[in-house]
Amino acid sequence: MQSEKIPFDATGAFSSFFLDYIHQKDSLKPFYHRFPSRDQFNEQLNEKAAAYSASSRQTLVAALHRQYDGYNLPEQVIKNLNALAQPGTFTVTTGHQLNIFTGPLYFIYKIITVINTCRQLKDAYPQHHFVPVYWMASEDHDYEEIKSFRLDGKKYTWETKQQGAVGRFHTKDFNKLLNEVPGNTELFRKAYTQHETLAGAVRYYVNELFGEDGLIVIDGDDHALKQLFIPVMEQDLFHHITQQQVNDTNAALEASGYKAQVYCREINFFYLDNQLRSRIEKTDSGFAVVDTPLTFSNDE
């Protein structure tokens, strides 16, 4: 098979911001820590090794064992899961929404990329262990973005009236769609009929597709993992640190001739419950959950 490589610049599909980054232009170097070339990882590994305590690693491993309870795990997944407790283990992570039937092809490309990256890093740094991770965006609430996929020019849609975090959606009403999709859908039929939630179904088929490669699937909608995140939550809720830092970076980008890449709210957390995922806003007396009667004082 013949193939021809086309420079990103020649496609006309990418912004100057992206092109300047991949070409490592001096104008963007102040905005990131290290460029992810292989020779940069030695310092990155040393820095990350010092950033995570043994107790945090144990919390992570325990949470993953709970999340994987009842799933048939390939030997490489078990090996990688347990290796996460060791200080010489590092992860390469990608994430994506819980699109039905995997959704767009780049969902697959992203996972293959982290698997290949871990293999390359193992070759370059054989004294360390590298684990590919897929982080499920289970708390995202944009059902409209995940409910459909296209196959052979036809659009297929999962119709449900559920609301809130999509990872918590039940899969009881998937049979109609499964019967509409042509071809061999056995993998997805097992995923959606043998698992109660969308997050559980996605974990199943991703594990079936990439478990032999040692891919770890993690669900951030986990009480124990969120407890580790409390200091970040406090900084955002009470001191709005994230907004300050994003605004400062945007101003510096614009001064360097680039457009701001993201905008940030004063508070960037949501109140999450079954059938509910709504933004938290600051009020004169404390906090309120948007579009609900829920309010909280600072102490609460």
Side-chain angles (χ1 to χ4, degrees):
M1 185 180 71
Q2 292 183 335
S3 63
E4 181 181 353
K5 293 184 177 181
I6 302 173
F8 282 123
D9 312 56
T11 65
F14 299 97
S15 67
S16 60
F17 182 89
F18 173 79
L19 295 173
D20 288 354
Y21 171 69
I22 63 170
H23 292 315
Q24 302 183 56
K25 292 285 185 70
D26 289 340
S27 54
L28 278 178
K29 286 184 178 180
F31 296 98
Y32 58 89
H33 192 31
R34 296 186 182 95
F35 192 79
S37 54
R38 193 178 303 187
D39 61 337
Q40 294 285 331
F41 274 89
N42 190 48
E43 292 185 18
Q44 187 75 3
L45 294 172
N46 291 334
E47 186 175 285
K48 291 298 181 183
Y52 297 97
S53 66
S55 62
S56 291
R57 285 179 175 270
Q58 292 294 340
T59 299
L60 171 63
V61 171
L64 285 169
H65 276 293
R66 287 195 304 274
Q67 292 181 15
Y68 271 114
D69 185 38
Y71 289 80
N72 181 31
L73 300 185
E75 181 179 347
Q76 193 59 40
V77 169
I78 297 172
K79 177 182 175 181
N80 281 349
L81 199 162
N82 292 326
L84 289 171
Q86 304 304 317
T89 298
F90 301 88
T91 61
V92 182
T93 303
T94 189
H96 200 79
Q97 292 170 292
L98 306 187
N99 298 77
I100 59 172
F101 287 75
T102 79
L105 189 58
Y106 58 79
F107 168 82
I108 302 295
Y109 288 164
K110 290 162 93 171
I111 291 176
I112 292 174
T113 298
V114 296
I115 291 171
N116 288 339
T117 300
C118 286
R119 291 171 178 168
Q120 293 170 14
L121 288 172
K122 183 63 176 179
D123 290 340
Y125 304 95
Q127 70 275 28
H128 297 302
H129 190 67
F130 298 93
V131 176
V133 175
Y134 162 55
W135 173 81
M136 294 192 290
S138 58
E139 292 179 298
D140 191 283
H141 70 305
D142 203 333
Y143 159 71
E144 294 296 324
E145 287 191 1
I146 70 162
K147 70 178 184 178
S148 302
F149 72 99
R150 292 185 178 275
L151 177 65
D152 296 331
K154 183 177 178 180
K155 185 177 181 180
Y156 296 88
T157 301
W158 174 37
E159 299 291 353
T160 182
K161 297 184 181 301
Q162 299 175 79
Q163 297 180 346
V166 296
R168 298 186 179 191
F169 281 18
H170 67 71
T171 53
K172 297 176 184 177
D173 47 10
F174 246 98
N175 279 322
K176 181 177 182 294
L177 178 61
L178 286 166
N179 291 332
E180 293 176 355
V181 179
N184 184 357
T185 61
E186 187 61 22
L187 169 66
F188 296 102
R189 186 172 295 276
K190 288 181 178 178
Y192 294 122
T193 61
Q194 296 180 9
H195 300 86
E196 295 181 355
T197 65
L198 186 61
V202 173
R203 180 187 297 278
Y204 173 81
Y205 70 65
V206 172
N207 182 61
E208 290 294 307
L209 292 171
F210 297 105
E212 296 294 338
D213 298 296
L215 182 74
I216 296 292
V217 180
I218 187 166
D219 187 350
D221 190 4
D222 185 285
H223 182 76
L225 296 180
K226 289 179 183 181
Q227 284 188 311
L228 298 178
F229 206 52
I230 286 174
V232 177
M233 297 181 189
E234 290 176 336
Q235 288 182 349
D236 189 79
L237 288 166
F238 296 106
H239 307 293
H240 316 311
I241 298 297
T242 307
Q243 184 185 53
Q244 295 172 26
Q245 293 178 338
V246 170
N247 288 347
D248 290 345
T249 299
N250 284 345
L253 281 171
E254 291 170 353
S256 299
Y258 297 101
K259 293 181 179 180
Q261 299 300 299
V262 66
Y263 295 95
C264 190
R265 297 183 185 274
E266 185 178 52
I267 293 175
N268 300 280
F269 282 92
F270 291 76
Y271 183 88
L272 183 64
D273 202 351
N274 290 330
Q275 299 293 308
L276 175 64
R277 179 185 185 264
S278 293
R279 288 192 301 107
I280 299 171
E281 285 189 343
K282 189 77 178 72
T283 65
D284 292 339
S285 58
F287 301 89
V289 179
V290 175
D291 297 327
T292 78
L294 293 169
T295 59
F296 303 93
S297 67
N298 287 347
D299 290 339
E300 291 169 323

